[in-house]
């Protein structure tokens, strides 16, 4: 049954072409290209509609079409961790084979991917992949719910999130970062606390300080 794939992430290794696939539902899958092998851009992320047919237990025929027009057909054998793929790009047919292994992403890994895609790539669809409602927001300038982030992110200018320390403790991930483009004057030193449920971010706190250069701190120590 297709339902057995939902919520699971797999690493597809087809030699030079490598990707990470997460099944969001029985009809949608999100993939991130790790290595595009000249067929697509490294780091490209897209959510696609998929058709999933169970050939026999643990073996699935999965097909989809991408925004670029490329079409993909997978035979994913979970029992043997093997993958056979047929990819059509610009009329060129590629037949590939390799491994297909489940990836157990930590909350820390999920957070780093989520923040990169949302804030650096300004891809607001990341909210649908890595966050979940009801989203509880403790930052004083943002409302509860994901609509606040959905509206704020496209308007950010020169934003850069540089985490120096990231800690995971059960359902909580804490990041200590230097951030540009969040406060009006200069950079900020920020501690963010994220709470996860079922692999999705559902609650957030932050503590924000204007960043002071190490040459100007009383101790001579950096803030981050």
């Amino acid at each position: 049954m297709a339902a057995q794939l939902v919520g699971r992430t797999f690493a597809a290794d087809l030699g030079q072409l490598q990707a990470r696939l997460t099944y969001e539902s029985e009809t949608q899958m999100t993939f991130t290209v790790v290595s595009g092998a000249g067929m697509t851009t490294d780091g490209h992320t897209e959510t696609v509609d998929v058709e999933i047919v169970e050939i026999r237990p643990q073996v699935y025929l999965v097909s989809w079409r991408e925004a670029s027009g490329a079409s993909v057909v997978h035979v994913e054998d979970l029992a043997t961790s093997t993958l056979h793929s047929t990819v059509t790009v610009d009329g060129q047919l590629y037949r590939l084979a390799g491994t297909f292994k489940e990836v157990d992403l930590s909350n820390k890994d999920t957070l780093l991917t989520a923040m990169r895609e949302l804030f650096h790539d300004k891809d607001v669809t990341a909210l649908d992949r890595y966050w979940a409602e009801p989203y509880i927001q403790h930052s004083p300038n943002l409302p509860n719910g994901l609509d606040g982030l959905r509206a704020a992110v496209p308007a950010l200018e020169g934003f850069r999130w540089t985490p120096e320390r990231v800690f995971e403790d059960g359902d909580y991930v804490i990041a200590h970062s230097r951030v540009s483009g969040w406060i009006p004057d200069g950079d900020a030193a920020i501690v963010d606390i994220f709470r996860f449920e079922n692999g999705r971010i559902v609650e957030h706190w932050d503590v924000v300080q204007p960043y002071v250069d190490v040459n100007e701190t009383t101790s001579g120590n950096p803030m981050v």
Side-chain angles (χ1 to χ4, degrees):
M1 295 175 61
Q4 295 175 348
L5 294 175
V6 176
R8 300 169 72 181
T9 297
F10 298 88
D13 187 341
L14 297 164
Q16 290 183 321
L17 180 62
Q18 300 173 24
R20 190 175 71 239
L21 287 65
T22 299
Y23 287 94
E24 311 287 355
S25 70
E26 294 183 40
T27 59
Q28 282 199 320
M29 181 268 291
T30 298
F31 68 86
T32 298
V33 178
V34 178
S35 176
M39 287 185 278
T40 186
T41 305
D42 293 0
H44 174 69
T45 296
E46 187 177 333
T47 299
V48 293
D49 295 330
V50 293
E51 183 176 350
I52 304 173
V53 177
E54 187 175 30
I55 300 173
R56 62 177 186 270
Q58 298 290 315
V59 181
Y60 298 89
L61 179 67
V62 183
S63 58
W64 68 89
R65 182 176 294 276
E66 300 172 9
S68 66
S71 61
V72 183
V73 179
H74 273 192
V75 177
E76 301 170 357
D77 188 334
L78 306 190
T80 61
S81 299
T82 56
L83 171 64
H84 292 271
S85 179
T86 301
V87 182
T88 304
V89 180
D90 296 330
Q92 180 69 41
L93 181 67
Y94 301 87
R95 292 188 177 92
L96 307 166
T99 61
F100 193 72
K101 298 180 180 180
E102 187 165 10
V103 177
D104 185 14
L105 292 179
S106 68
N107 289 336
K108 175 182 174 180
D109 291 335
T110 298
L111 175 70
L112 292 172
T113 300
M115 293 294 281
R116 174 180 57 79
E117 292 184 14
L118 179 62
F119 287 103
H120 287 191
D121 300 344
K122 290 194 175 181
D123 180 2
V124 294
T125 65
L127 291 166
D128 303 316
R129 292 190 290 275
Y130 306 112
W131 280 258
E133 297 280 20
Y135 180 60
I136 304 169
Q137 176 64 266
H138 297 275
S139 184
N141 298 319
L142 289 170
N144 284 325
L146 296 177
D147 286 344
L149 284 174
R150 214 178 296 275
V153 169
L156 292 175
E157 296 291 341
F159 185 87
R160 185 177 62 189
W161 183 71
T162 307
E164 294 292 337
R165 298 164 190 84
V166 183
F167 308 93
E168 181 175 352
D169 184 6
D171 292 332
Y172 293 86
V173 177
I174 302 169
H176 184 206
S177 314
R178 180 172 178 175
V179 179
S180 304
W182 186 251
I183 60 176
D185 299 316
D187 290 0
I190 299 181
V191 174
D192 289 289
I193 304 172
F194 304 87
R195 183 172 68 85
F196 282 72
E197 280 184 6
N198 300 318
R200 301 291 184 102
I201 304 166
V202 295
E203 192 166 7
H204 170 255
W205 299 257
D206 60 15
V207 180
V208 182
Q209 290 179 297
Y211 187 84
V212 176
D213 189 80
V214 63
N215 296 323
E216 300 176 15
T217 63
T218 301
S219 65
N221 297 322
M223 293 185 68
V224 177

